[in-house]
Amino acid sequence: MSTRATFLARRVVQAAMVVVGVVFLSFFLVRLAPGDAAMAIAGETGYSDPQYVADLRREFGLDKPVLTQFGIYLSKVAVGDLGFSYQKRQPVYDLIMERLPATLLLAGVVIVVSLIIGIFVGAVSAKYAGRFVDGVLRIFLMAFYAMPSYWLGLVLVLMFSVHLGWLPAFGIETMGGDPAPMARALDIGRHLVLPALTLGLFFAAIYARLTRAAMLEVVNLDFVRTARAKGISETRLFIRHVLRNALIPVVTYAGLQTSALVGGTVLVETVFSWPGIGRLAYDALIARDNNLLIGIFIFTSVLVVIFNLVTDLLYVVLDPRMELGK
Amino acid sequence: MSALRRFLRNGTAVIGLLAFLAILAFALLAPVIYPGNPLAIAGAPLRPPGSPNLIAGSDMLGRNVAAGLAYGARVSLVIGLLSALLAIVIGAVLGAVAGYFGRWVDDAIMRFTEFFQIIPSFILLMVLIALMRPSVTATICGIALISWPQVARIVRAEFLVLRRAEFVEAARVQGFTTTHIITREIAPNALSPVIVIGSILVANAILTESALSFLGLGDPNLISWGYMIAASRSAMRLAWWTTVMPGLCIALTVLALNLVGDGLNDAFNRRLGEGGRA
Amino acid sequence: MELTRSLTTRRGFLQSVGGAAALAATAGYPEWVFAQTRSGVLNAMLNVEPATLNYALLNTSVIQSVCGSINESLLLFDWQLKPQPNLARSFSVSPDGLVYTFELEPDVKWHDGKPFTSKDVVFTCAKMLRELNPRSRAAMDRCESITAEGDHKVVFKLKEPFNAFILAFMASTGPMMPAHIYEGTDFRNNPANTAPIGTGPFKFAQWSKGNFIKLVRNENYWRKGQPYLDEVTFRIIASAEQRAVALETGAVDMAFGDDLDPIDVPRFRDSPGLVMVQNAYDAVGEITLMEINQRTAPFNDRRFRAAIMHAMDRNFLVDQLNFGMGRVADSPIFSTVPYYDPKVLTQYEYSPAKAKALLDDMGLKPGAGGVRHKFSVLMLPNQDGPWRRAGEYSKQALADVGLDVELQSTDVATFYKRNGDWDYDVMWNSYGQFGDPAIGMSRFFLSNNIRKGVPQTNTQGYVNPKVDELLQKGATAVKREDAQAAYSELQKILTEDVAMLWMYERRKPLFHAKKFKDVVLGPNGPCDGFGAAKPA
């Protein structure tokens, strides 16, 4: 038990260090990019004068030396204040919290859906390894992995929204829809289908592949041979021993994929006008909304770190015999 | 049985390899099949596939889509290959150093690697591109910068094991320099997982490049598949071929590379590196 | 071949769906099915989430579209850009052109019930707009005094005549803001910025971030009988394809000028369920152009600039890339603006031969690969759409006359940084006319408006004392014909000189469902609000 505790404690400290690194690096990285929020706003309004640009810089604190800006920022972040968004003129924390549920919902559904599809297909593939079913399944799912997600999104919209008219093409809910909770949940569910499929099929392909590979490896291990020799039924053996052990790399990888998932939402949220963090990040970047962008970096990094810690925990649960060092 | 033999016995892998070679040939022969600038206006806009001289139709500016696909293959492949190569170089060096020296060196490098794995890499990439101004070089460097950590982890894992191997001990006893041991003794033995991950990296880089172009962060002077999708996505419903064709090309290439990768993996008889925790 | 056929049928299908209710209803938008019972709701779209709903603070087109129904201006402008009463029931100008007096509507209330008075007008013009809005500041800085006389009269005294002054009271430049909410506060961070209060026909109701904004009927609106609709909603949809789908499936009833890619315009124009309004943005009068940095050779040579004009087939830009939504720009002044004078303009028709001759004349002979000169063209920072295509086209068109263009794409912030820092050879851009050359275009040519670090100024470095003089004369002339004379001569000089590379006038079409009428009543389009809009 104590080894587990030390292991997790060490992970927490390491994770905290990485988050601090994120704060430092993102702050300076974002400021290295040419142009600033004042220029972007002054240009976009189509009419500007020196006072306008200067006013904006003063408002945003961009008129101070970079190191001073960094000092101010650090002192704020230290007490949990992520500052104000230049573009949206609201606290960054509020903006992120407004958008977070949409992204979490999408990401959560994507993780669940892709794991279910991926593990199922992977298991079937492994069971029939080398046979026709295996080949077809692998290539079918891998094709989804190979498609650019935004492109798949566009094609799905064209098919299911424009042609067949089955599903809504964009947004998270119908405006002025039925406010009753059940009806609303259903409505959101319908809006969720296409974006979740777009991203979910991509990750499902990865998980299927991992599950298959891991299961094939486990099948050849000694304990499985022993179990088989003991006369345990094939199905039971397959599920209890093979699948369970094969899940370890899959779960690990799913944990490591959280940051990729957040990145993936940028595109999918753009294609489906999903009101989430990913799109917010893109908008913040092009407008040099530094505080917002850094805030999103910090926030998502913390999320990923937490997710990885949970993965580590799962790791321990799934495989009690594993060595807890490196 | 040699790895090559095993690879060639694998049906899907061979199909993938053939598909990839076909795309490669398409890219190499682009100037022969379609002489002239693929960005030049060739005729009336939005002609459907099968129109005279336009096997894949024309786009909104009246450019030949098939010519675009051929030249786009060049750009996509070059970006894919070069960024994968760069990522492998960065990742291999850092991974080798971390794995060979271990202790604090390893710890420091791994924290640094972790940083790149935790920060949402696509958003980081967008920042990097904005920083460098969109161009082919920026795209290649940017993609390499976000994809080396995978390589580093794998190489490190190999080195951790191999540095204790007998032949390495023997080299050490013989008094070879550290550089010699790393590059001549260990590296060749750690090559196979890098080759496997390499094919996946190329595929991912092609996808990433297309995503960048889709968001308007690609090089506007060169035609790439992602660029073609971005440039004509608004015409998707009027002229499906302008968007669907380059998308299919990307999917086909990435699929082929992944099949090759899987085949290599099986041939080298290893678990796919990216999945394992180092 | 099979594919071609299915495409035609599909297109036919889409067109019939365009606005018609029955088929689209299956797409999961029940609003449309119940069109008859719920026609009191007008659903519109926004292409990006507004940064704020403080109209005075920021003046982007999405903010105008929303706030136009919330905040009102003193005057409206008709199709001829003639002022009409609004919050000001009447106004007068002294014969010397120095004193403007406005009589206000007496019974106007803010959405929170407080009365709208001259105090609000003075606060808005003298303080708030002047501090926040550069376009308004340019006009208000010309005032010697802005004073209230009683509760319903405001007098503006100018330092010198400025004949475009009245346009500062147009909705997009001069929205009236509530003094009792903003006075003495930090304008930039006032809570009302996200829950605005105005005098307009619709009240702010809800802002679901990233999702939609909802306005509801103002029961106490001062214009009797208005508004006719119960709600106006704005759905935030970031991608052009999705906006087209929304309009097509009937999920929304309206598309603003920037909402659709021009490629979709012909399809919607032919749609039986939709009305297209082509002049809803004429008051802005946007000209798409290329700025050319005239500080160095060969860009400082008139012949080089003329060669570029001849090399570009601007009819192609209008007809093929913008699907007819516009007109070739032959003057620095938008063609529906009063001072536009077609008689004095030097025309630059499409002629690669003339372009080559001009370049030859300059001594720029074709070198290796037929290249005469290499330079960069910075594209507008939009991911797709007509501007991107225009950028791509310019590369090809200029290559045909031996000019090797390196296209550069940037994001918004970099784009305006490079604009403000003069860090470009040639860059695509656009300017709005806002009803008068003195407001819209003079700032790009006045030599005293060359200001490094400030985007959207005279970044080309164009210096011509005669032009400075004519711009001053045109803006301050008391008599209309004097102003016309100055602006005519100005147009002659600027086009002769190719002072800028004007490409085309962009006429952004506004679409709305046929089930509504009186949606657009003047050249300010949505800026004037939807108070008069009603079910057809």
Side-chain angles (χ1 to χ4, degrees):
Chain A
M1 201 58 216
S2 73
T3 33
R4 281 187 203 186
T6 8
F7 170 70
L8 288 176
R10 212 166 97 199
R11 296 290 304 150
V12 171
V13 172
Q14 286 172 352
M17 275 164 55
V18 172
V19 171
V20 171
V22 169
V23 175
F24 273 83
L25 214 102
S26 58
F27 184 92
F28 290 102
L29 209 56
V30 168
R31 269 170 178 72
L32 274 178
D36 62 17
M39 282 289 212
I41 293 173
E44 285 240 286
T45 43
Y47 203 112
S48 74
D49 57 25
Q51 187 188 334
Y52 192 51
V53 177
D55 281 351
L56 289 169
R57 285 226 171 92
R58 193 167 344 101
E59 181 191 350
F60 303 152
L62 295 170
D63 52 343
K64 300 187 180 73
V66 179
L67 283 180
T68 318
Q69 290 180 40
F70 188 54
I72 296 171
Y73 189 77
L74 268 191
S75 65
K76 280 187 176 165
V77 167
V79 294
D81 179 2
L82 292 175
F84 244 71
S85 150
Y86 307 154
Q87 271 277 324
K88 320 254 178 202
R89 293 167 203 267
Q90 282 179 74
V92 166
Y93 180 80
D94 292 359
L95 281 167
I96 293 178
M97 290 319 274
E98 275 163 9
R99 301 292 193 96
L100 195 63
T103 295
L104 285 184
L105 177 67
L106 179 59
V109 170
V110 165
I111 290 176
V112 172
V113 166
S114 58
L115 277 175
I116 291 173
I117 299 178
I119 291 171
F120 179 75
V121 172
V124 173
S125 243
K127 180 106 191 159
Y128 300 99
R131 291 199 230 155
F132 184 68
V133 185
D134 175 36
V136 169
L137 276 179
R138 279 170 63 202
I139 294 190
F140 179 74
L141 257 196
M142 216 189 267
F144 284 107
Y145 173 76
M147 291 173 193
S149 60
Y150 58 89
W151 180 81
L152 178 61
L154 291 174
V155 172
L156 289 178
V157 166
L158 205 57
M159 276 166 54
F160 293 101
S161 302
V162 177
H163 282 278
L164 299 170
W166 290 350
L167 291 164
F170 57 87
I172 189 169
E173 58 182 318
T174 309
M175 269 196 54
D178 195 334
M182 262 319 285
R184 187 161 176 237
L186 217 77
D187 182 48
I188 292 179
R190 283 166 50 78
H191 282 80
L192 199 60
V193 175
L194 292 184
L197 265 187
T198 304
L199 265 182
L201 286 171
F202 175 84
F203 287 103
I206 303 180
Y207 300 146
R209 199 163 161 189
L210 283 169
T211 309
R212 178 181 178 275
M215 285 180 74
L216 288 181
E217 198 164 287
V218 174
V219 166
N220 293 324
L221 292 181
D222 288 343
F223 75 93
V224 176
R225 293 211 189 107
T226 319
R228 189 174 278 144
K230 280 189 191 156
I232 294 174
S233 86
E234 274 298 304
T235 319
R236 197 188 141 116
L237 175 88
F238 198 72
I239 292 171
R240 278 293 303 256
H241 295 272
V242 180
L243 187 59
R244 187 173 171 211
N245 283 289
L247 281 185
I248 295 167
V250 178
V251 170
T252 310
Y253 195 64
L256 283 173
Q257 284 298 302
T258 355
S259 76
L261 188 55
V262 173
T265 57
V266 175
L267 292 160
V268 172
E269 286 176 7
T270 303
V271 170
F272 290 99
S273 295
W274 192 261
I277 296 279
R279 180 70 203 180
L280 195 66
Y282 177 76
D283 290 343
L285 170 68
I286 60 170
R288 296 292 181 276
D289 197 340
N290 299 356
N291 284 353
L292 182 53
L293 189 56
I294 302 167
I296 292 173
F297 268 132
I298 295 176
F299 221 89
T300 47
S301 302
V302 170
L303 270 183
V304 173
V305 162
I306 292 174
F307 217 89
N308 286 356
L309 286 174
V310 172
T311 315
D312 283 339
L313 262 177
L314 272 179
Y315 215 79
V316 175
V317 174
L318 275 174
D319 190 359
R321 290 158 305 161
M322 76 164 277
E323 193 192 333
L324 286 173
K326 282 249 156 176
Chain B
M1 194 161 48
S2 78
L4 181 64
R5 275 248 191 85
R6 277 199 297 268
F7 182 86
L8 291 177
R9 284 241 182 127
N10 185 337
T12 49
V14 172
I15 292 173
L17 184 64
L18 290 177
F20 181 72
L21 290 176
I23 293 159
L24 199 63
F26 187 46
L28 289 174
L29 293 175
V32 183
I33 318 174
Y34 302 105
N37 185 347
L39 283 164
I41 291 153
L46 299 178
R47 307 301 311 172
S51 307
N53 295 325
L54 295 169
I55 194 166
S58 66
D59 75 356
M60 265 190 279
L61 283 170
R63 297 179 293 210
N64 186 343
V65 172
L69 292 176
Y71 283 87
R74 294 165 85 93
V75 176
S76 296
L77 288 178
V78 165
I79 288 178
L81 290 168
L82 286 184
S83 53
L85 200 66
L86 191 55
I88 286 174
V89 170
I90 302 173
V93 169
L94 287 174
V97 170
Y100 186 81
F101 294 102
R103 289 191 240 182
W104 69 267
V105 181
D106 182 31
D107 242 14
I109 292 179
M110 280 301 104
R111 286 300 80 72
F112 187 59
T113 311
E114 211 164 276
F115 169 81
F116 279 89
Q117 292 197 316
I118 274 173
I119 204 159
S121 54
F122 192 71
I123 302 177
L124 178 66
L125 177 61
M126 294 195 304
V127 176
L128 290 172
I129 298 290
L131 217 126
M132 295 186 274
R133 283 189 185 183
S135 69
V136 173
T137 326
T139 306
I140 291 171
C141 295
I143 294 177
L145 276 174
I146 62 158
S147 34
W148 63 265
Q150 295 181 53
V151 184
R153 278 183 169 273
I154 289 162
V155 171
R156 169 183 172 269
E158 290 294 316
F159 270 67
L160 275 180
V161 177
L162 289 173
R163 69 172 172 169
R164 299 231 172 78
E166 272 174 37
F167 67 93
V168 175
E169 289 299 339
R172 233 177 251 135
V173 172
Q174 284 179 310
F176 283 117
T177 61
T178 310
T179 329
H180 178 96
I181 294 173
I182 291 180
T183 55
R184 295 287 160 81
E185 305 292 335
I186 306 183
N189 288 290
L191 204 60
S192 59
V194 173
I195 293 174
V196 174
I197 191 84
S199 64
I200 310 288
L201 281 181
V202 175
N204 286 350
I206 290 173
L207 281 177
T208 311
E209 185 278 333
S210 85
L212 279 179
S213 291
F214 179 73
L215 289 176
L217 297 169
D219 188 325
N221 293 288
L222 289 171
I223 200 153
S224 77
W225 292 331
Y227 171 89
M228 290 175 77
I229 297 177
S232 51
R233 60 195 261 225
S234 46
M236 192 168 187
R237 261 157 316 134
L238 281 184
W240 57 268
W241 58 91
T242 53
T243 320
V244 170
M245 299 259 188
L248 285 178
C249 282
I250 294 173
L252 187 65
T253 311
V254 175
L255 181 60
L257 282 164
N258 276 287
L259 290 175
V260 170
D262 274 8
L264 287 173
N265 192 52
D266 291 348
F268 290 130
N269 204 12
R270 288 171 179 281
R271 191 203 291 172
L272 204 63
E274 57 179 343
R277 165 156 294 209
Chain C
M1 276 293 91
E2 180 58 33
L3 292 165
T4 321
R5 203 163 53 240
S6 79
L7 176 83
T8 0
T9 43
R10 183 201 314 166
R11 200 181 294 169
F13 168 72
L14 290 181
Q15 274 166 5
S16 67
V17 176
L23 289 172
T26 55
Y29 300 102
E31 299 101 302
W32 195 278
V33 186
F34 304 120
Q36 290 318 304
T37 52
R38 295 198 49 199
S39 59
V41 180
L42 177 66
N43 292 303
M45 301 181 270
L46 301 176
N47 53 39
V48 62
E49 177 154 70
T52 170
L53 289 181
N54 179 342
Y55 204 165
L57 180 57
L58 203 60
N59 212 324
T60 56
S61 67
V62 284
I63 296 175
Q64 291 171 359
S65 298
V66 178
C67 292
S69 289
I70 301 172
N71 297 94
E72 292 179 292
S73 53
L74 291 187
L75 301 172
L76 295 175
F77 287 79
D78 64 17
W79 294 110
Q80 282 70 45
L81 287 170
K82 296 243 169 21
Q84 303 294 334
N86 199 29
L87 284 177
R89 51 160 45 166
S90 68
F91 78 96
S92 62
V93 188
S94 66
D96 58 5
L98 286 174
V99 183
Y100 288 69
T101 311
F102 294 85
E103 291 279 350
L104 305 181
E105 277 288 339
D107 296 315
V108 179
K109 298 246 185 311
W110 292 101
H111 293 159
D112 60 1
K114 298 270 185 338
F116 163 79
T117 66
S118 52
K119 187 169 171 264
D120 293 303
V121 179
V122 173
F123 165 75
T124 302
C125 296
K127 273 252 202 40
M128 192 162 177
L129 282 172
R130 195 166 174 183
E131 185 179 323
L132 298 178
N133 180 332
R135 194 161 71 227
S136 192
R137 171 159 57 232
M140 295 308 156
D141 275 355
R142 293 171 185 264
C143 289
E144 194 177 276
S145 69
I146 302 172
T147 44
E149 293 185 4
D151 277 353
H152 301 292
K153 192 195 239 179
V154 185
V155 180
F156 294 78
K157 280 208 181 78
L158 302 187
K159 294 174 197 156
E160 62 170 348
F162 177 50
N163 53 38
F165 187 65
I166 203 71
L167 287 160
F169 300 97
M170 198 191 260
S172 57
T173 312
M176 289 300 127
M177 305 299 290
H180 66 282
I181 300 285
Y182 281 103
E183 194 153 31
T185 69
D186 175 4
F187 301 153
R188 295 166 189 274
N189 295 309
N190 192 296
N193 293 358
T194 51
I197 285 176
T199 57
F202 292 93
K203 294 190 289 190
F204 170 82
Q206 193 194 352
W207 186 352
S208 168
K209 290 288 153 56
N211 205 4
F212 65 85
I213 293 171
K214 185 157 97 177
L215 310 184
V216 295
R217 183 190 164 79
N218 175 6
E219 306 288 347
N220 303 315
Y221 189 48
W222 59 274
R223 241 186 249 273
K224 293 298 161 239
Q226 286 192 14
Y228 303 102
L229 303 174
D230 299 322
E231 277 179 23
V232 181
T233 63
F234 302 87
R235 178 136 209 185
I236 298 150
I237 304 177
S239 78
E241 309 90 82
Q242 292 285 26
R243 290 193 293 273
V245 171
L247 187 64
E248 191 169 287
T249 54
V252 301
D253 308 309
M254 184 149 89
F256 294 124
D258 294 310
D259 286 352
L260 299 176
D261 189 295
I263 193 167
D264 288 320
V265 166
R267 182 158 56 98
F268 288 118
R269 185 175 48 203
D270 300 338
S271 162
L274 294 174
V275 178
M276 181 173 91
V277 186
Q278 241 201 308
N279 43 9
Y281 297 93
D282 275 8
V284 177
E286 185 185 307
I287 297 180
T288 300
L289 47 90
M290 290 194 273
E291 288 188 71
I292 180 162
N293 194 337
Q294 297 171 30
R295 289 176 181 81
T296 51
F299 310 113
N300 56 5
D301 191 320
R302 185 211 156 260
R303 289 170 297 179
F304 190 80
R305 303 194 294 265
I308 295 183
M309 293 295 273
H310 281 302
M312 298 278 294
D313 184 354
R314 292 180 291 158
N315 282 309
F316 180 85
L317 289 177
V318 173
D319 297 335
Q320 297 298 320
L321 298 190
N322 283 286
F323 297 85
M325 295 295 107
R327 174 184 182 279
V328 168
D330 52 6
S331 162
I333 298 177
F334 197 84
S335 61
T336 62
V337 166
Y339 299 109
Y340 171 78
D341 187 352
K343 296 184 295 293
V344 300
L345 307 171
T346 308
Q347 301 286 350
Y348 297 91
E349 78 285 2
Y350 173 56
S351 167
K354 280 193 183 170
K356 286 180 195 160
L358 281 163
L359 294 170
D360 282 339
D361 189 40
M362 286 176 67
L364 288 175
K365 300 273 195 261
V371 175
R372 296 165 188 268
H373 189 66
K374 246 183 108 114
F375 59 98
S376 68
V377 171
L378 188 57
M379 299 200 290
L380 274 157
N382 290 65
Q383 306 156 30
D384 50 12
W387 283 330
R388 179 179 184 126
R389 294 196 283 277
E392 291 170 12
Y393 171 76
S394 60
K395 181 181 169 83
Q396 297 315 313
L398 295 174
D400 288 344
V401 298
L403 296 175
D404 184 7
V405 164
E406 184 210 342
L407 283 182
Q408 298 180 337
S409 65
T410 55
D411 57 25
V412 178
T414 315
F415 181 82
Y416 290 114
K417 161 127 179 101
R418 293 182 62 185
N419 181 246
D421 288 351
W422 315 335
D423 179 16
Y424 64 89
D425 293 336
V426 173
M427 76 190 288
W428 283 88
N429 202 352
S430 67
Y431 63 60
Q433 200 66 247
F434 304 108
D436 195 286
I439 302 175
M441 91 354 141
S442 64
R443 60 208 164 105
F444 289 91
F445 303 99
L446 282 168
S447 62
N448 64 8
N449 200 33
I450 297 178
R451 302 170 191 279
K452 191 156 197 173
V454 185
Q456 310 282 35
T457 53
N458 183 354
T459 67
Q460 299 188 118
Y462 182 78
V463 181
N464 184 336
K466 183 73 188 162
V467 165
D468 287 342
E469 186 195 317
L470 288 169
L471 283 168
Q472 168 70 8
K473 217 187 247 173
T476 55
V478 179
K479 277 197 261 162
R480 179 84 188 202
E481 54 271 27
D482 294 343
Q484 181 66 61
Y487 285 131
S488 285
E489 196 183 346
L490 180 82
Q491 290 172 75
K492 182 172 185 298
I493 295 176
L494 289 179
T495 55
E496 228 169 56
D497 211 13
V498 205
M500 196 180 246
L501 308 168
W502 301 281
M503 291 289 124
Y504 56 92
E505 296 177 354
R506 198 159 76 101
R507 303 196 82 160
K508 311 187 278 188
L510 180 148
F511 285 93
H512 65 79
K514 243 184 200 140
K515 60 176 178 170
F516 294 102
K517 63 177 181 183
D518 299 335
V519 175
V520 176
L521 295 175
N524 264 307
C527 300
D528 286 344
F530 298 117
K534 53 178 89 62

